[in-house]
Amino acid sequence: MNFSSDNVSPVCPEILAAIVAQSSSSALPYGQDEDSARLDAAFSTLFETDCVVIPVATGTAANLIGLSGLVSPYGGVVCHHEAHINQTESTGVAFFGGGAKLLTMDGPSAKIEAPALDAFLTAQSNRGIHAVDPECVAITQATEFGAVYSVAEIQDIGRVAKEHGMRLFMDGARFANAVAALGCHPADITWKAGVDVLSFGATKNGALAVDAIILFDKTLRKKAEKARKRGGHLFSKHRYLAAQLLAYLEGDLWLKNAKHANMAAKLLAQSLGCLGARVAHQPQGNELFMWMEDDLAAALQAAGIIFRPWPAVGKGAYRFVTAWNSPLEDITALANGL
Amino acid sequence: MNFSSDNVSPVCPEILAAIVAQSSSSALPYGQDEDSARLDAAFSTLFETDCVVIPVATGTAANLIGLSGLVSPYGGVVCHHEAHINQTESTGVAFFGGGAKLLTMDGPSAKIEAPALDAFLTAQSNRGIHAVDPECVAITQATEFGAVYSVAEIQDIGRVAKEHGMRLFMDGARFANAVAALGCHPADITWKAGVDVLSFGATKNGALAVDAIILFDKTLRKKAEKARKRGGHLFSKHRYLAAQLLAYLEGDLWLKNAKHANMAAKLLAQSLGCLGARVAHQPQGNELFMWMEDDLAAALQAAGIIFRPWPAVGKGAYRFVTAWNSPLEDITALANGL
Amino acid sequence: MNFSSDNVSPVCPEILAAIVAQSSSSALPYGQDEDSARLDAAFSTLFETDCVVIPVATGTAANLIGLSGLVSPYGGVVCHHEAHINQTESTGVAFFGGGAKLLTMDGPSAKIEAPALDAFLTAQSNRGIHAVDPECVAITQATEFGAVYSVAEIQDIGRVAKEHGMRLFMDGARFANAVAALGCHPADITWKAGVDVLSFGATKNGALAVDAIILFDKTLRKKAEKARKRGGHLFSKHRYLAAQLLAYLEGDLWLKNAKHANMAAKLLAQSLGCLGARVAHQPQGNELFMWMEDDLAAALQAAGIIFRPWPAVGKGAYRFVTAWNSPLEDITALANGL
Amino acid sequence: MNFSSDNVSPVCPEILAAIVAQSSSSALPYGQDEDSARLDAAFSTLFETDCVVIPVATGTAANLIGLSGLVSPYGGVVCHHEAHINQTESTGVAFFGGGAKLLTMDGPSAKIEAPALDAFLTAQSNRGIHAVDPECVAITQATEFGAVYSVAEIQDIGRVAKEHGMRLFMDGARFANAVAALGCHPADITWKAGVDVLSFGATKNGALAVDAIILFDKTLRKKAEKARKRGGHLFSKHRYLAAQLLAYLEGDLWLKNAKHANMAAKLLAQSLGCLGARVAHQPQGNELFMWMEDDLAAALQAAGIIFRPWPAVGKGAYRFVTAWNSPLEDITALANGL
């Protein structure tokens, strides 16, 4: 079993079928096809508000292009120190943002907390022409340490951001896992709470390669489209991105896949607990962080189970990530020993 | 029949099969999987020289990342005025090149000619700190007007470039069509002629979405990998890019598809000629430019044939692009009337 | 006599006196001093409209920062092929413009002509997401070939620009020479004709090092100030820039210096004509382009007169630039032989 | 008395005289004049090693252009959190560095300590393609909190940097004050300790506007010259920059001015101490940080003494900066009461 990341999983059958179905005919390129034309409506229905959809093939592209509309070349993006955009996307924010700078803060479980954000923005804003003024707040839902912001937490962050005149961005690489965990409506933790732009992840949750930039502020469309083209992210065979996303929404496949992965994480936490591991961050989505002794880690590896040490959490901490195809029975069986 | 571009075609069966085959198991991300590990060897065999392969999902990304290793932020890229990088890739060259500038010249059929290049480089180089010095020459094979550089033409360009201390880049979005037309070895028009970096197109010729940056100068690997990551172009499920490329090379599928498309273009030229159209640029690859009277154009459109006016060639000129799946019989039958 | 450029001249006495006067006391930095505070009012009086003044130390900085507020990273700046921003400012426009591209056109004496501009903008605009849309027109007054746009010509350009939704920038490195030549009010060829931003040159015309970015569109202030700071162009001892500019305006010194230089150019044309040279571009400001035989050129050089060949005008063409301190009597005396 | 910054001081008489002397004749532009030609030799003599000098008008420009040669667009610059490049230069490092990122660490008195640097580099380096690898270390001498690195401290930092394959940059906006404080040879704390590039400040210490980028690694010349031009920082009347620098070196004026300012800071610390203030950071150069009660601060302000609160040091902390022209007698007299 491979828990090194959810991106080791293959395309799920429903989305693969959509790709195959797309392959028996020709269609206009660059989003002029019929399936691409359905995207805005499909996501507007899902989110119960008019929104614009810009599909790209990677989560990093979705984050960077999405953010680039919310910050000027002279401005700052406030994020958690552990944020993917700070730790794992090279110098991408400055690249797509024309020099924009990440301003990092801390918080438990890689979460930004609203009162701390308020204090941070108060201290960092309006410091004059020499300093970098924050212009945007970026949060990750679920966070890089597997935590899920509650509806109230995001509402609080949205309110603080608004009070300080900030735009609000959400990195939703594991948005589906968060919604599945919260049991809320996707609108509750996005536009209703003040999110301007969301990167809506699909790749980690069953797609081949597509994440959607969702613009709740529709005035950002032109800039996002130009940034996408200029960045080499506009697919000629755009319909293959659209087909993946439409299949992902169809019958709430996105939630079904996420629920499976979340359940797998919970079962895995139990099984590993039976083997002597201790939970470092309680799994809320599909990421599980466990403290383990060296010999347990070695035994699991010897049994062919793949996972990764996670020094950012601490020495002796390991990360396990489940996915839409994690084998629940095998995971449960782990509790009985290796 | 849709001749508006080769990118309207779907994935070809062989590559689709490879995608499906990839979808029954997990594999490590970001190019650490077994199929990705085979890419360098597969292309090194094809080109009969050690080379580095950096797959990305779009031709624009391949061009921009490929070029970014060959020019400094203060330098110029010499290309034909009609070049895709000048006309159709937004401000991408400056974006990925940190400000690098396109320096354009003219030439028949969107080709750069070696003597003119020599004169251009002589005039534009070493003009002092205020000017933009050329650092790289970029050519498109086949060109944007459907022409194919001969082996000797590319050798001449390579020699002139070298004499002036320039790097040489080839936009090979339709490289397969060019090789199929020339009947040469792919090495003859690339590294043997001085090409440092090639974008090896597959998307237009049967793939879902993959073009390969081929680094004949292997020292460029690290920079290209960083530019790819930073640009959001590194796929987590990288094996799906690898699988497409391996299937594309397998049994010379790339040439088979290109030969089909080239044949379709030749037959289409004949059929349209029978209907009264005149050839504007003789098709060498899979792009055909025809002069047509308004009523012929209207009659073709009325018959459901899709193609585009091409004002860059001239008023009354139209472009037809064939693909791996163009129906040869239907094209031939066109000669008999609409 | 050194006619290689107007930038070989030293600081003129009036401005030097202002620098000296500034040097006996302390003052707040970064534009918070009293002299800096007077700049907006002084230029608003000069131009008879409220405007914002951003002083920088070089003309290139003035052009690049000024332009950067008028074009997006995905857009184009239309200019003459001979424009300083295209020929002599390295890759600066893309640097400060985040990738913005120069779109060049031709015209006599390095002038853009309104009808040609209209046609160019019609052809280049709205070409879709792949192309670079023009967003701004940039003209140089006086031009790089020494010509001066008439009031009517600039009005026409302004009208065409506006009809196409373009912003209008004026590189006024030799603005004073143009106004002196035209005898018009400076407002006539700037904001009244649709100019949004002007770089108002002083360095070539008697200052030590200062050119002022004049924002007729005052909403651009914040962005220009941030671009200046970020580019390292905000002087700590900002009052020395202010003092130069205030002295430059005082008693119309800027016009007095320019009239002197323009007169010198006219006299020089006469004297060189007597020696057998022919005018290539009739001097309207302080730049003179002459055709000369090799032996005349050699004789002038032997006599210690410094000037430069100008191949952009043609083989056998030479450029002479006069300045505020050109010795009129010596120039006149030239007519009598070397 | 104005202690708000050393940049409130005017040009010192010796440098003003050099500017005046320059103003009676013409000279070639852009560094082709005779004074500019002497710069490399003058600084090579001062530093007792061959070096390249690139003068610019501001310290920010010197830092940003200097740094841009030492870091790639994908790399990181390690600096103290309080560093001027992190706090006070907007998004300039990313701008000139094509996206390069600041990686900040802490340390007493705004100093980086070698062992902490070693640990930081070990943790931050070689983290894979997704992360930003440090490529350069940047230190400020004297630091932003008025401390001066000892020769041994810089040697240690240089050794650690070298062991990790890092380049080493020194922001020497107050380099003269540091050398004056240490009584060392300028070579001891620069190239002999591993510094690749130094920004050698003059503006704060008596010049009108000039800081010199000193390239001890002479291979960086071409890139620095292109970055300077492209950034709009190449002066046409370059000789005025050269004249300031030559006067600044002449007779060790740079050290004389700095010694005066350092002495003023020491005397000011004593006088303020007599009035009840306590030293926050012991002044080593010309910056003094004092703890003061509100009523003392108010009394000083009422007496016309200008200084600034410095919350980065703490609540109740104030910064006083002395300069080449600080009145020693008046400062001493302060001890006797306001």
Side-chain angles (χ1 to χ4, degrees):
Chain A
M1 287 183 286
N2 190 335
F3 300 115
S4 67
S5 179
D6 31 12
N7 59 30
V8 305
S9 62
V11 182
C12 70
E14 297 89 340
I15 293 178
L16 185 60
I19 290 171
V20 172
Q22 197 64 244
S23 301
S24 53
S25 61
S26 293
L28 287 177
Y30 300 119
Q32 304 162 60
D33 65 284
E34 291 179 13
D35 286 316
S36 297
R38 291 171 50 205
L39 286 173
D40 282 2
F43 277 89
S44 295
T45 300
L46 175 65
F47 281 100
E48 295 186 349
T49 189
D50 268 10
C51 57
V52 169
V53 182
I54 311 279
V56 290
T58 74
T60 294
N63 283 343
L64 299 179
I65 295 172
L67 264 173
S68 73
L70 301 177
V71 63
S72 81
Y74 320 108
V77 175
V78 178
C79 68
H80 194 282
H81 181 260
E82 290 297 328
H84 200 268
I85 54 173
N86 187 48
Q87 291 289 347
T88 328
E89 300 190 0
S90 184
T91 56
V93 169
F95 182 45
F96 280 85
K101 189 174 183 179
L102 291 163
L103 306 173
T104 61
M105 43 184 301
D106 286 318
S109 299
K111 278 186 186 174
I112 288 178
E113 295 177 303
L117 177 64
D118 192 21
F120 186 91
L121 290 173
T122 300
Q124 296 293 319
S125 296
N126 303 314
R127 293 183 301 151
I129 194 71
H130 308 284
V132 177
D133 276 347
E135 295 178 358
C136 175
V137 176
I139 57 177
T140 310
Q141 175 75 317
T143 78
E144 288 76 8
F145 283 175
V148 172
Y149 286 98
S150 70
V151 174
E153 284 173 331
I154 294 183
Q155 286 170 338
D156 287 348
I157 288 172
R159 194 182 54 248
V160 169
K162 192 167 192 177
E163 285 167 4
H164 287 270
M166 299 289 113
R167 308 300 297 266
L168 184 54
F169 176 82
M170 180 178 281
D171 174 351
R174 295 189 179 95
F175 182 78
N177 304 95
V179 172
L182 292 172
C184 67
H185 191 279
D188 295 338
I189 55 170
T190 54
W191 64 273
K192 285 190 178 172
V195 171
D196 294 295
V197 175
L198 164 72
S199 70
F200 182 89
T203 305
K204 293 178 190 292
N205 192 32
L208 191 159
V210 69
D211 281 35
I213 306 165
I214 310 294
L215 306 175
F216 296 113
D217 175 351
K218 295 169 68 181
T219 65
L220 299 168
R221 179 200 288 270
K222 192 169 179 184
K223 190 167 181 191
E225 286 180 342
K226 292 200 172 194
R228 176 174 60 163
K229 169 63 206 184
R230 205 255 293 244
H233 287 288
L234 176 57
F235 269 44
S236 56
K237 300 186 177 178
H238 190 273
R239 55 182 167 138
Y240 281 103
L241 296 179
Q244 291 181 71
L245 283 175
L246 293 173
Y248 190 56
L249 295 192
E250 178 72 24
D252 281 339
L253 174 63
W254 66 291
L255 276 178
K256 182 190 133 200
N257 282 354
K259 283 174 184 168
H260 180 99
N262 288 5
M263 172 61 71
K266 282 195 169 38
L267 294 176
L268 183 58
Q270 289 173 7
S271 290
L272 293 174
C274 292
L275 298 176
R278 287 167 302 116
V279 167
H281 288 284
Q282 194 66 41
Q284 294 181 277
N286 67 321
E287 286 194 291
L288 173 64
F289 293 84
M290 301 293 286
W291 300 109
M292 296 196 298
E293 301 295 331
D294 290 353
D295 53 354
L296 175 55
L300 287 167
Q301 284 162 339
I305 296 171
I306 306 175
F307 54 94
R308 297 169 63 190
W310 211 255
V313 168
K315 187 167 163 53
Y318 295 87
R319 188 185 79 160
F320 299 79
V321 194
T322 55
W324 67 269
N325 67 338
S326 293
L328 303 187
E329 292 192 15
D330 292 353
I331 289 171
T332 308
L334 259 188
N336 303 324
L338 294 166
Chain B
M1 287 183 283
N2 190 333
F3 300 116
S4 66
S5 178
D6 31 11
N7 59 30
V8 305
S9 63
V11 181
C12 70
E14 297 89 340
I15 292 178
L16 185 60
I19 290 171
V20 172
Q22 197 64 246
S23 301
S24 54
S25 61
S26 294
L28 286 176
Y30 300 118
Q32 304 163 59
D33 65 284
E34 290 178 13
D35 287 316
S36 297
R38 291 170 50 205
L39 286 173
D40 282 2
F43 278 88
S44 294
T45 299
L46 175 66
F47 281 100
E48 295 185 350
T49 189
D50 268 9
C51 58
V52 169
V53 182
I54 311 278
V56 291
T58 74
T60 294
N63 283 343
L64 299 179
I65 294 172
L67 263 174
S68 73
L70 301 177
V71 63
S72 81
Y74 320 107
V77 174
V78 177
C79 68
H80 194 281
H81 181 261
E82 291 297 327
H84 200 267
I85 54 173
N86 187 49
Q87 291 289 347
T88 328
E89 301 191 359
S90 183
T91 56
V93 169
F95 182 44
F96 280 84
K101 188 174 183 178
L102 291 162
L103 306 173
T104 61
M105 44 183 301
D106 286 319
S109 300
K111 276 186 188 174
I112 288 178
E113 294 176 304
L117 176 64
D118 192 22
F120 186 91
L121 290 173
T122 300
Q124 296 293 319
S125 297
N126 303 314
R127 293 184 300 150
I129 194 71
H130 308 284
V132 177
D133 275 347
E135 295 178 358
C136 175
V137 175
I139 56 177
T140 310
Q141 174 76 317
T143 78
E144 289 75 9
F145 283 175
V148 172
Y149 286 99
S150 71
V151 174
E153 285 173 330
I154 294 184
Q155 286 170 340
D156 287 348
I157 287 172
R159 194 183 53 249
V160 168
K162 192 167 192 176
E163 285 166 5
H164 288 270
M166 300 289 113
R167 308 301 296 267
L168 184 55
F169 176 82
M170 179 178 282
D171 175 352
R174 294 188 179 95
F175 182 78
N177 304 94
V179 172
L182 292 171
C184 69
H185 191 278
D188 295 339
I189 54 170
T190 55
W191 64 273
K192 284 189 177 172
V195 171
D196 295 296
V197 176
L198 164 72
S199 69
F200 182 89
T203 305
K204 294 179 191 290
N205 192 32
L208 191 158
V210 69
D211 282 35
I213 305 165
I214 311 293
L215 307 174
F216 296 113
D217 175 351
K218 294 169 69 180
T219 66
L220 298 168
R221 179 200 288 270
K222 191 169 179 185
K223 191 168 179 191
E225 288 181 341
K226 291 198 173 195
R228 176 174 62 163
K229 169 62 205 183
R230 205 255 293 245
H233 287 288
L234 176 58
F235 269 43
S236 56
K237 299 185 177 178
H238 190 273
R239 56 183 166 136
Y240 282 102
L241 297 179
Q244 291 180 72
L245 284 175
L246 292 173
Y248 190 56
L249 295 193
E250 179 72 24
D252 280 339
L253 175 63
W254 66 291
L255 276 178
K256 183 190 133 202
N257 281 355
K259 284 174 184 169
H260 180 101
N262 288 6
M263 173 61 70
K266 284 196 167 35
L267 295 175
L268 183 58
Q270 290 174 7
S271 291
L272 293 173
C274 293
L275 297 176
R278 287 169 301 115
V279 167
H281 288 285
Q282 194 65 41
Q284 294 180 276
N286 66 321
E287 288 194 289
L288 173 65
F289 294 84
M290 301 294 286
W291 299 110
M292 297 195 297
E293 302 294 331
D294 289 354
D295 53 355
L296 175 55
L300 287 167
Q301 284 162 340
I305 296 171
I306 306 174
F307 54 95
R308 297 169 62 190
W310 211 256
V313 168
K315 189 170 162 50
Y318 295 88
R319 189 185 79 160
F320 299 78
V321 193
T322 55
W324 66 269
N325 67 337
S326 294
L328 303 187
E329 293 191 14
D330 293 353
I331 289 171
T332 308
L334 259 188
N336 303 325
L338 294 166
Chain C
M1 287 183 284
N2 190 335
F3 300 115
S4 67
S5 180
D6 31 13
N7 58 29
V8 304
S9 62
V11 181
C12 70
E14 297 89 339
I15 293 178
L16 186 60
I19 289 172
V20 172
Q22 196 64 245
S23 300
S24 54
S25 61
S26 293
L28 287 177
Y30 300 119
Q32 304 162 60
D33 65 283
E34 290 178 13
D35 287 316
S36 296
R38 291 171 49 208
L39 286 173
D40 283 2
F43 278 89
S44 295
T45 299
L46 174 66
F47 281 100
E48 296 185 349
T49 188
D50 268 10
C51 59
V52 169
V53 181
I54 311 278
V56 290
T58 74
T60 295
N63 283 343
L64 299 179
I65 294 172
L67 263 174
S68 73
L70 301 177
V71 63
S72 82
Y74 320 107
V77 175
V78 178
C79 67
H80 193 282
H81 182 260
E82 290 298 328
H84 200 268
I85 54 172
N86 187 48
Q87 290 289 348
T88 328
E89 301 191 1
S90 183
T91 56
V93 169
F95 182 44
F96 280 84
K101 189 174 182 178
L102 291 163
L103 306 173
T104 61
M105 45 184 300
D106 287 319
S109 300
K111 277 187 188 174
I112 288 178
E113 295 176 304
L117 176 63
D118 191 22
F120 186 89
L121 290 173
T122 301
Q124 295 294 319
S125 296
N126 303 315
R127 293 183 301 150
I129 193 72
H130 309 285
V132 177
D133 275 347
E135 295 177 359
C136 176
V137 176
I139 57 177
T140 309
Q141 173 76 316
T143 78
E144 289 75 9
F145 282 174
V148 173
Y149 286 99
S150 71
V151 175
E153 284 173 332
I154 294 183
Q155 286 171 338
D156 287 349
I157 287 172
R159 193 182 55 248
V160 168
K162 192 167 193 176
E163 286 166 3
H164 287 271
M166 300 290 112
R167 308 301 295 268
L168 183 55
F169 175 83
M170 179 178 282
D171 175 351
R174 297 189 178 96
F175 183 78
N177 304 93
V179 172
L182 293 172
C184 68
H185 191 279
D188 295 339
I189 55 170
T190 54
W191 64 274
K192 284 189 178 173
V195 171
D196 294 296
V197 176
L198 164 72
S199 69
F200 181 90
T203 305
K204 293 178 192 293
N205 192 33
L208 191 159
V210 69
D211 281 36
I213 306 165
I214 311 294
L215 306 175
F216 296 112
D217 175 352
K218 295 169 67 181
T219 66
L220 297 169
R221 180 199 288 269
K222 191 170 179 184
K223 192 168 179 190
E225 288 181 341
K226 291 198 173 196
R228 176 175 60 164
K229 168 63 205 182
R230 205 254 293 245
H233 287 288
L234 176 58
F235 268 43
S236 56
K237 300 185 177 177
H238 190 274
R239 53 183 169 137
Y240 283 100
L241 297 179
Q244 292 180 72
L245 284 175
L246 292 172
Y248 190 56
L249 296 193
E250 180 71 25
D252 281 339
L253 175 63
W254 66 291
L255 275 177
K256 181 190 135 202
N257 282 354
K259 284 174 184 169
H260 179 100
N262 289 5
M263 173 62 70
K266 282 194 170 34
L267 295 175
L268 183 57
Q270 290 173 7
S271 291
L272 292 175
C274 294
L275 298 176
R278 288 170 300 117
V279 167
H281 288 283
Q282 194 66 41
Q284 294 182 276
N286 66 321
E287 287 194 289
L288 172 65
F289 293 84
M290 301 294 286
W291 299 110
M292 296 195 298
E293 301 295 329
D294 290 352
D295 53 356
L296 174 55
L300 288 167
Q301 282 162 341
I305 296 171
I306 306 174
F307 53 94
R308 296 168 63 190
W310 212 257
V313 168
K315 188 169 164 51
Y318 295 87
R319 189 185 78 160
F320 299 78
V321 193
T322 55
W324 66 270
N325 67 337
S326 294
L328 302 187
E329 293 192 13
D330 293 353
I331 289 171
T332 307
L334 258 189
N336 304 325
L338 293 168
Chain D
M1 287 182 284
N2 190 334
F3 300 116
S4 67
S5 179
D6 31 12
N7 59 28
V8 304
S9 62
V11 181
C12 70
E14 297 88 341
I15 294 178
L16 186 60
I19 289 171
V20 172
Q22 197 65 244
S23 300
S24 54
S25 60
S26 293
L28 286 176
Y30 300 120
Q32 305 162 60
D33 65 284
E34 289 177 14
D35 287 315
S36 297
R38 292 170 49 205
L39 287 173
D40 282 2
F43 278 89
S44 296
T45 299
L46 174 66
F47 280 101
E48 296 185 349
T49 189
D50 268 11
C51 58
V52 170
V53 181
I54 311 277
V56 291
T58 75
T60 294
N63 283 343
L64 299 179
I65 294 172
L67 263 174
S68 74
L70 301 177
V71 62
S72 82
Y74 320 108
V77 175
V78 178
C79 68
H80 194 281
H81 182 260
E82 290 298 327
H84 199 268
I85 54 173
N86 187 48
Q87 291 290 346
T88 328
E89 301 190 2
S90 182
T91 56
V93 170
F95 182 44
F96 280 84
K101 188 175 183 178
L102 291 163
L103 306 174
T104 61
M105 43 183 301
D106 288 318
S109 299
K111 277 186 188 174
I112 288 179
E113 296 176 303
L117 176 64
D118 192 23
F120 186 90
L121 290 173
T122 301
Q124 296 294 319
S125 297
N126 303 312
R127 292 184 301 150
I129 193 73
H130 308 285
V132 177
D133 275 346
E135 294 178 359
C136 176
V137 175
I139 57 177
T140 310
Q141 174 76 316
T143 78
E144 288 76 9
F145 283 174
V148 173
Y149 286 98
S150 71
V151 175
E153 284 173 331
I154 294 183
Q155 286 171 339
D156 287 348
I157 287 172
R159 194 183 54 247
V160 168
K162 192 166 194 177
E163 285 167 3
H164 288 271
M166 300 289 111
R167 308 300 296 266
L168 183 55
F169 176 83
M170 179 179 282
D171 174 352
R174 296 188 178 95
F175 183 78
N177 304 94
V179 172
L182 292 171
C184 68
H185 191 280
D188 295 339
I189 55 169
T190 55
W191 64 273
K192 284 189 178 172
V195 172
D196 295 295
V197 176
L198 164 72
S199 69
F200 182 90
T203 305
K204 294 178 191 290
N205 192 33
L208 191 160
V210 69
D211 282 35
I213 306 166
I214 310 294
L215 306 175
F216 296 112
D217 175 351
K218 293 169 67 182
T219 66
L220 298 168
R221 180 199 288 268
K222 191 170 181 185
K223 192 168 179 189
E225 288 180 341
K226 292 199 173 195
R228 176 174 61 162
K229 169 63 206 181
R230 205 254 293 244
H233 287 287
L234 176 57
F235 269 43
S236 56
K237 300 186 178 178
H238 190 274
R239 54 182 167 138
Y240 282 102
L241 297 179
Q244 292 180 72
L245 284 175
L246 293 172
Y248 189 56
L249 296 192
E250 180 72 25
D252 280 339
L253 174 63
W254 66 290
L255 275 178
K256 181 191 135 201
N257 281 355
K259 283 174 185 169
H260 180 101
N262 288 5
M263 172 61 70
K266 283 195 168 35
L267 295 175
L268 183 58
Q270 289 173 7
S271 291
L272 293 174
C274 293
L275 298 176
R278 286 169 301 116
V279 167
H281 288 284
Q282 194 65 42
Q284 294 181 276
N286 66 322
E287 287 195 291
L288 173 65
F289 293 84
M290 300 295 284
W291 300 110
M292 296 195 297
E293 300 296 329
D294 289 353
D295 52 355
L296 175 56
L300 288 167
Q301 283 162 339
I305 297 171
I306 306 175
F307 54 94
R308 297 169 63 190
W310 211 256
V313 168
K315 188 169 164 50
Y318 295 87
R319 189 185 80 161
F320 298 78
V321 194
T322 55
W324 67 269
N325 66 338
S326 295
L328 302 186
E329 292 191 15
D330 292 353
I331 289 171
T332 307
L334 257 189
N336 303 326
L338 293 168

